[in-house]
Short mmCIF file of all heavy atoms in Angstrom, two decimals:
data_model
loop_
_atom_site.label_atom_id
_atom_site.label_comp_id
_atom_site.label_asym_id
_atom_site.label_seq_id
_atom_site.Cartn_x
_atom_site.Cartn_y
_atom_site.Cartn_z
N ILE A 496 83.21 57.08 49.78
CA ILE A 496 83.00 58.46 50.21
C ILE A 496 82.04 58.54 51.39
O ILE A 496 80.94 57.96 51.39
CB ILE A 496 82.52 59.31 49.03
CG1 ILE A 496 82.51 60.77 49.41
CG2 ILE A 496 81.19 58.88 48.51
CD1 ILE A 496 82.37 61.70 48.24
N TRP A 497 82.47 59.20 52.46
CA TRP A 497 81.73 59.38 53.72
C TRP A 497 81.40 58.07 54.42
O TRP A 497 80.58 58.03 55.32
CB TRP A 497 80.44 60.18 53.50
CG TRP A 497 80.67 61.56 52.99
CD1 TRP A 497 80.32 62.06 51.76
CD2 TRP A 497 81.32 62.65 53.67
NE1 TRP A 497 80.70 63.37 51.64
CE2 TRP A 497 81.32 63.77 52.80
CE3 TRP A 497 81.91 62.79 54.93
CZ2 TRP A 497 81.86 64.99 53.15
CZ3 TRP A 497 82.45 64.01 55.29
CH2 TRP A 497 82.43 65.10 54.39
N MET A 498 82.05 56.97 54.03
CA MET A 498 81.76 55.68 54.65
C MET A 498 82.76 55.33 55.72
O MET A 498 82.41 54.72 56.73
CB MET A 498 81.72 54.57 53.60
CG MET A 498 80.62 54.71 52.58
SD MET A 498 80.63 53.32 51.43
CE MET A 498 79.61 53.99 50.11
N ASN A 499 84.03 55.65 55.50
CA ASN A 499 85.09 55.24 56.42
C ASN A 499 85.65 56.42 57.20
O ASN A 499 86.85 56.60 57.30
CB ASN A 499 86.22 54.52 55.65
CG ASN A 499 85.77 53.18 55.11
OD1 ASN A 499 84.76 52.65 55.54
ND2 ASN A 499 86.52 52.65 54.17
N LEU A 500 84.76 57.24 57.75
CA LEU A 500 85.22 58.37 58.53
C LEU A 500 85.90 57.87 59.79
O LEU A 500 85.32 57.10 60.56
CB LEU A 500 84.06 59.28 58.88
CG LEU A 500 83.32 59.96 57.72
CD1 LEU A 500 82.24 60.89 58.26
CD2 LEU A 500 84.29 60.73 56.83
N PHE A 501 87.11 58.31 60.01
CA PHE A 501 87.87 57.91 61.21
C PHE A 501 87.90 59.08 62.22
O PHE A 501 87.51 58.92 63.36
CB PHE A 501 89.28 57.49 60.83
CG PHE A 501 90.15 57.13 61.99
CD1 PHE A 501 89.91 55.98 62.71
CD2 PHE A 501 91.20 57.96 62.39
CE1 PHE A 501 90.70 55.65 63.81
CE2 PHE A 501 91.99 57.63 63.48
CZ PHE A 501 91.75 56.47 64.18
N LEU A 502 88.34 60.24 61.75
CA LEU A 502 88.39 61.42 62.63
C LEU A 502 88.12 62.66 61.81
O LEU A 502 88.70 62.88 60.75
CB LEU A 502 89.77 61.53 63.29
CG LEU A 502 90.05 62.85 64.03
CD1 LEU A 502 89.12 63.01 65.23
CD2 LEU A 502 91.51 62.89 64.48
N GLY A 503 87.23 63.49 62.33
CA GLY A 503 87.01 64.82 61.77
C GLY A 503 87.21 65.85 62.86
O GLY A 503 86.80 65.63 64.02
N ILE A 504 87.89 66.94 62.53
CA ILE A 504 88.03 68.04 63.48
C ILE A 504 87.53 69.30 62.77
O ILE A 504 87.98 69.63 61.69
CB ILE A 504 89.48 68.24 63.93
CG1 ILE A 504 90.04 66.96 64.53
CG2 ILE A 504 89.59 69.39 64.91
CD1 ILE A 504 91.51 67.05 64.94
N CYS A 505 86.57 69.93 63.39
CA CYS A 505 86.04 71.19 62.85
C CYS A 505 86.54 72.33 63.72
O CYS A 505 86.22 72.41 64.92
CB CYS A 505 84.50 71.16 62.83
SG CYS A 505 83.78 72.66 62.13
N TYR A 506 87.36 73.21 63.11
CA TYR A 506 87.87 74.40 63.80
C TYR A 506 87.02 75.59 63.37
O TYR A 506 86.80 75.79 62.17
CB TYR A 506 89.33 74.66 63.43
CG TYR A 506 90.28 73.50 63.65
CD1 TYR A 506 90.58 72.63 62.60
CD2 TYR A 506 90.90 73.29 64.88
CE1 TYR A 506 91.48 71.58 62.78
CE2 TYR A 506 91.78 72.24 65.06
CZ TYR A 506 92.07 71.40 64.01
OH TYR A 506 92.97 70.37 64.19
N ALA A 507 86.58 76.40 64.31
CA ALA A 507 85.84 77.60 63.96
C ALA A 507 86.31 78.73 64.86
O ALA A 507 86.90 78.51 65.94
CB ALA A 507 84.34 77.38 64.15
N ILE A 508 86.07 79.98 64.43
CA ILE A 508 86.59 81.11 65.18
C ILE A 508 85.64 81.60 66.24
O ILE A 508 85.98 82.45 67.08
CB ILE A 508 86.97 82.28 64.24
CG1 ILE A 508 85.71 82.79 63.51
CG2 ILE A 508 88.05 81.85 63.27
CD1 ILE A 508 85.94 84.10 62.79
N ASP A 509 84.39 81.10 66.24
CA ASP A 509 83.42 81.45 67.29
C ASP A 509 82.30 80.42 67.30
O ASP A 509 82.21 79.57 66.42
CB ASP A 509 82.86 82.89 67.09
CG ASP A 509 82.30 83.10 65.69
OD1 ASP A 509 81.60 82.21 65.18
OD2 ASP A 509 82.56 84.18 65.12
N GLU A 510 81.43 80.54 68.30
CA GLU A 510 80.35 79.56 68.46
C GLU A 510 79.36 79.62 67.29
O GLU A 510 78.82 78.61 66.87
CB GLU A 510 79.64 79.81 69.78
CG GLU A 510 80.46 79.43 70.99
CD GLU A 510 79.70 79.68 72.28
OE1 GLU A 510 79.77 80.83 72.79
OE2 GLU A 510 79.03 78.75 72.77
N VAL A 511 79.08 80.84 66.80
CA VAL A 511 78.13 80.98 65.70
C VAL A 511 78.63 80.20 64.47
O VAL A 511 77.88 79.45 63.84
CB VAL A 511 77.93 82.47 65.35
CG1 VAL A 511 77.08 82.59 64.08
CG2 VAL A 511 77.28 83.19 66.51
N SER A 512 79.90 80.38 64.15
CA SER A 512 80.49 79.68 62.99
C SER A 512 80.52 78.19 63.21
O SER A 512 80.28 77.40 62.28
CB SER A 512 81.90 80.20 62.72
OG SER A 512 81.92 81.59 62.51
N LEU A 513 80.82 77.77 64.45
CA LEU A 513 80.86 76.34 64.75
C LEU A 513 79.49 75.71 64.59
O LEU A 513 79.36 74.62 64.00
CB LEU A 513 81.39 76.14 66.17
CG LEU A 513 81.79 74.71 66.55
CD1 LEU A 513 83.00 74.26 65.75
CD2 LEU A 513 82.11 74.62 68.04
N ASN A 514 78.48 76.37 65.11
CA ASN A 514 77.12 75.84 65.00
C ASN A 514 76.66 75.80 63.54
O ASN A 514 75.95 74.87 63.11
CB ASN A 514 76.14 76.67 65.83
CG ASN A 514 76.35 76.49 67.33
OD1 ASN A 514 76.82 75.43 67.75
ND2 ASN A 514 76.05 77.51 68.11
#
Side-chain angles (χ1 to χ4, degrees):
I496 189 167
W497 298 114
M498 295 182 197
N499 291 344
L500 297 183
F501 177 70
L502 169 64
I504 303 177
C505 182
Y506 305 95
I508 62 168
D509 53 42
E510 289 180 273
V511 173
S512 303
L513 192 66
N514 290 332

